[in-house]
Amino acid sequence: MALRGESWRLQYIQHTAGIYGFFAGLAQMARQQPEQVLRWWETSAKCERRYKVGEQWYNLRPDALAKYQVRSQQVRF
């Protein structure tokens, strides 16, 4: 049984590796900075969002979602 989205990840392994590499680097950098932390990140269908403009529905499918914290300020991206 294949996981949802798995075939796409295998097809585009360099893209997937780039996403994981970005977050690995960001987490390493955060550990070297006082009061900074990568709180979480995720990929796949969990990131998808639907929204409506007028009568038209759209899908937003980002590569990933994450939350980063600097002192008490948190940013989702």
Side-chain angles (χ1 to χ4, degrees):
M1 180 167 100
L3 297 173
R4 183 176 174 196
E6 181 180 13
S7 63
W8 184 90
R9 280 192 199 87
L10 292 174
Q11 240 181 329
Y12 299 95
I13 194 70
Q14 289 181 331
H15 181 80
T16 303
I19 294 165
Y20 280 70
F22 169 79
F23 283 107
L26 185 59
Q28 286 177 336
M29 183 193 72
R31 282 194 295 269
Q32 297 171 1
Q33 303 298 319
E35 302 183 61
Q36 294 190 27
V37 63
L38 176 61
R39 285 287 172 202
W40 57 263
W41 67 278
E42 62 188 12
T43 63
S44 75
K46 294 178 188 177
C47 302
E48 292 180 18
R49 301 290 185 265
R50 285 185 56 78
Y51 63 96
K52 189 175 182 182
V53 176
E55 296 298 316
Q56 183 68 43
W57 281 96
Y58 297 92
N59 296 316
L60 177 63
R61 295 184 176 121
D63 291 328
L65 292 175
K67 184 186 283 187
Y68 195 86
Q69 183 173 341
V70 178
R71 293 183 213 57
S72 63
Q73 186 175 17
Q74 296 184 20
V75 177
R76 280 185 67 169
F77 63 96

